[in-house]
Amino acid sequence: MGVLITDVEEGQPCLQCGDVCPGFSPHIWRKNCTSCKCPREDHDVCHEEWASVRSRLGLKADESNGLPGFSDPRERGLAWAPPGLPPHKVDEYFSMLPEISVPRLGTPGERLRDRQLAFQLPKQDLARAYCRYLDLKHASSADDFMAARNEIALDIGTVQEIVEEGSCCGACQEPLKYGSLAVSASKLGLLYHPACFRCADCKELLVDLAYCVHEDMIFCERHYAEQLKPRCSACDELIFSGEYTKAMNKDWHSGHFCCWQCDESLTGQRYVLRDEHPYCIKCYESVFANGCEECNKIIGIDSKDLSYKDKHWHEACFLCNRCRVSLVDKQFGSKVDKIYCGNCYDAQFASRCDGCGEIFRAGTKKMEYKTRQWHEKCFCCVVCKNPIGTKSFIPREQEIYCAGCYEDKFATRCVKCNKIITSGGVTYKNEPWHRDCFTCSNCNNSLAGQRFTSRDDKPYCADCFGELFAKRCTACSKPITGIGGTRFISFEDRHWHNECFICAGCKTSLVGRGFITDGDDIICPECAKAKLM
């Protein structure tokens, strides 16, 4: 076999925890970090030297990349390239893969290749020298397994150009384009799109084209081996012994099924599963179990854990803080981090109804308005006593009214029709009227916005008032209403509008002048003299 790559592990940063993890510190047998508990593959594990996958796999012959000047992929800034391809074909090959899968030096693609080498090609699968927990009596079984795998199943794919029409991909069954590149798996005699050359189990691209064949399917070496042998979930080594432990749907060396915290064996012992890891009872209770608020002792896995608002109690400790009665399956209240039965809570802390004065018991529905509160049945109209519920209501001083009762008791009503005035009313002599109800007492025409006067407390329009009650002008016989400031002249039992008080002869106004009566007429002094002469 060729020289194996030595992995550089200790001190490598965790890609999940970041600065929280001081660096990879391997467990004595598990493939996880003792500092942060993350798996080995979650750390930036790299390699001390650069060797080909053929050397890592122990295959006999190595292949070159073909053209002069491209024997070392690192000269072109790549950690690996398919052997036997000229530079432009290497570029074409990588263009057919996701960018993250291109192993350019100093990029996430290089780091992904490193992790996939460690994951898909675990060194303990490839050489017995790296099997730390292999019993010597099973060494020959391990050697036989590795030799048979290398001979029958293990190989490295090659990249070649499609030179025939009608070829199809061995994975997706889609046609392979003539002249394009494909990966050849010689042990199956099939060709694959570069992006389809993946493990049938983990679905990852096969790192550096290394694959194993099992039942006409291709796998990475890790998942090929697991088709045939159990793998210890702790140390990640294959189990060649016929005796091992099965637990949590996983396989374990008998001595490796241990508490994730203290490493004590769990074989034949009770354990608790947490985040897919097993814990002994003692460690689980010390790390994860809650403390009881009442007795301050741990609530073990054999005790019932009752919780409320991030606080926990033993079932026997879940008691009223005042009367000490058990609160299990009963209503209770909480105040200042203490719990109380319904009666004690009500007696000590419950508020009272503004309707009946009784307390609000735990769980009782409460109706609130501003600073006041009522039982649902007590929140009712002060007049009709019907519950308000979700209906509209009107507060007045300290009393609550439903809309109907409030209108009946307090709404403004028209003095004529006695119906409620909702808008646009008229006030006359400090009394409310609907606009349509405020009409002339004689003709019933609306007086809203019109000139009117009154007699015997009844309103009249100007025309009706004049016709019914006003003096009449001796000259024109029309009513003298006085509305709007009209002036008039009275003499003996006769009356005139100012504009009608004129000389019967010359028609000049006699307002403010002397005049002489001449039968039913009035004349000015000048016309009187002229009449005598």
Side-chain angles (χ1 to χ4, degrees), residues 403-518:
C405 290
Y406 184 87
E407 289 182 349
D408 288 343
K409 189 168 185 178
F410 300 108
T412 302
R413 294 181 177 274
C414 175
V415 298
K416 183 175 182 180
C417 68
N418 199 37
K419 293 181 180 179
I420 294 171
I421 300 174
T422 57
S423 63
V426 175
T427 300
Y428 174 62
K429 290 190 175 182
N430 294 323
E431 292 183 321
W433 305 66
H434 287 112
R435 292 178 64 89
D436 294 339
C437 291
F438 188 58
T439 59
C440 173
S441 298
N442 184 58
C443 67
N444 284 327
N445 288 330
S446 176
L447 298 178
Q450 307 295 323
R451 293 193 307 164
F452 68 92
T453 187
S454 65
R455 188 178 180 94
D456 301 328
D457 293 329
K458 295 180 179 179
Y460 295 89
C461 64
D463 291 341
C464 288
F465 183 85
E467 290 295 331
L468 295 174
F469 308 110
K471 298 178 177 64
R472 293 190 175 271
C473 178
T474 302
C476 67
S477 298
K478 293 181 179 179
I480 303 173
T481 63
I483 296 173
T486 303
R487 295 182 179 182
F488 64 94
I489 309 296
S490 293
F491 176 69
E492 294 178 347
D493 292 328
R494 294 186 292 171
H495 312 278
W496 294 266
H497 293 107
N498 263 19
E499 60 273 18
C500 294
F501 192 57
I502 59 176
C503 174
C506 65
K507 307 303 182 183
T508 58
S509 175
L510 299 177
V511 178
R513 295 176 58 191
F515 61 89
I516 298 169
T517 60
D518 182 19

Side-chain angles (χ1 to χ4, degrees), residues 300-333:
I301 64 167
D302 294 322
S303 300
K304 194 171 183 179
D305 185 337
L306 302 181
S307 64
Y308 174 69
K309 289 188 175 179
D310 297 326
K311 297 184 182 297
H312 300 263
W313 292 264
H314 291 102
E315 185 175 18
C317 294
F318 194 54
L319 309 173
C320 172
N321 189 63
R322 190 175 182 186
C323 71
R324 312 308 293 168
V325 69
S326 173
L327 300 179
V328 177
D329 297 327
K330 295 180 182 177
Q331 286 189 335
F332 64 92

Side-chain angles (χ1 to χ4, degrees), residues 4 28 51 67 91 110 204 223 234 262 279 382 397 408 529:
L4 288 166
I28 188 171
L67 296 182
D91 292 340
E110 179 191 15
E204 294 289 342
H223 292 116
C262 70
Y279 292 83
V382 71
E397 297 177 350
D408 288 343
K529 288 180 183 180

Side-chain angles (χ1 to χ4, degrees), residues 47-345:
H47 302 300
E48 199 170 62
E49 61 181 276
W50 293 91
S52 70
V53 172
R54 284 189 171 272
S55 294
R56 187 175 179 92
L57 299 179
L59 299 179
K60 295 179 180 179
D62 201 353
E63 297 182 30
S64 68
N65 283 343
L67 296 182
F70 196 50
S71 58
D72 184 2
R74 296 175 66 82
E75 294 179 1
R76 290 182 56 84
L78 295 167
W80 171 85
L85 293 181
H88 71 282
K89 286 295 182 180
V90 170
D91 292 340
E92 180 183 343
Y93 170 79
F94 283 126
S95 73
M96 303 172 76
L97 300 180
E99 181 61 28
I100 188 62
S101 299
V102 181
R104 294 190 179 90
L105 297 178
T107 68
E110 179 191 15
R111 292 189 288 275
L112 175 64
R113 174 179 177 263
D114 268 359
R115 292 195 295 276
Q116 289 299 317
L117 281 170
F119 179 75
Q120 294 188 25
L121 304 171
K123 58 186 180 183
Q124 65 271 18
D125 284 18
L126 306 178
R128 183 157 56 85
Y130 290 95
C131 296
R132 298 168 60 190
Y133 303 102
L134 177 65
D135 194 310
L136 288 178
K137 63 183 178 182
H138 302 300
S140 60
S141 295
D143 289 340
D144 291 344
F145 173 82
M146 294 177 188
R149 176 201 58 207
N150 291 357
E151 181 68 25
I152 299 171
L154 183 61
D155 197 10
I156 294 178
T158 58
V159 179
Q160 63 185 52
E161 191 171 318
I162 302 297
V163 295
E164 294 181 1
E165 298 279 2
S167 298
C168 292
C169 175
C172 70
Q173 306 304 317
E174 293 293 323
L176 295 167
K177 185 178 178 182
Y178 176 80
S180 66
L181 296 179
V183 179
S184 171
S186 60
K187 284 192 177 295
L188 283 178
L190 296 175
L191 298 173
Y192 297 81
H193 292 110
C196 292
F197 198 57
R198 298 173 180 268
C199 171
D201 189 292
C202 64
K203 310 303 181 185
E204 294 289 342
L205 287 171
L206 291 160
V207 63
D208 292 11
L209 306 182
Y211 71 96
C212 288
V213 174
H214 180 68
E215 295 181 352
D216 295 330
M217 292 188 292
I218 55 173
F219 296 87
C220 66
E221 192 285 329
R222 167 180 291 276
H223 292 116
Y224 163 82
E226 291 175 9
Q227 301 292 317
L228 304 174
K229 295 290 181 181
R231 184 183 298 277
C232 178
S233 292
C235 69
D236 204 39
E237 292 185 17
L238 296 175
I239 302 173
F240 292 96
S241 169
E243 295 182 3
Y244 59 95
T245 300
K246 292 188 72 70
M248 300 164 45
N249 294 321
K250 297 179 181 179
D251 302 317
W252 315 74
H253 283 114
S254 295
H256 288 179
F257 182 55
C258 297
C259 172
W260 185 252
Q261 186 74 14
C262 70
D263 292 340
E264 288 294 322
S265 175
L266 296 176
T267 302
Q269 304 296 318
R270 296 172 65 205
Y271 65 91
V272 180
L273 188 63
R274 174 73 179 245
D275 299 328
E276 297 186 358
H277 299 302
Y279 292 83
C280 67
I281 302 304
K282 182 178 179 181
C283 286
Y284 180 85
E285 291 182 348
S286 66
V287 176
F288 300 109
N290 298 302
C292 176
E293 289 291 317
E294 179 66 26
C295 67
N296 294 321
K297 295 180 181 179
I298 291 295
I299 305 174
I301 64 167
D302 294 322
S303 300
K304 194 171 183 179
D305 185 337
L306 302 181
S307 64
Y308 174 69
K309 289 188 175 179
D310 297 326
K311 297 184 182 297
H312 300 263
W313 292 264
H314 291 102
E315 185 175 18
C317 294
F318 194 54
L319 309 173
C320 172
N321 189 63
R322 190 175 182 186
C323 71
R324 312 308 293 168
V325 69
S326 173
L327 300 179
V328 177
D329 297 327
K330 295 180 182 177
Q331 286 189 335
F332 64 92
S334 172
K335 192 77 170 183
V336 195
D337 295 332
K338 304 292 183 182
I339 53 174
Y340 301 85
C341 66
N343 291 334
C344 289
Y345 183 89

Side-chain angles (χ1 to χ4, degrees), residues 27-38:
H27 186 271
I28 188 171
W29 70 74
R30 293 194 192 100
K31 296 298 181 179
N32 70 281
C33 174
T34 58
S35 299
C36 66
K37 300 289 189 181
C38 290

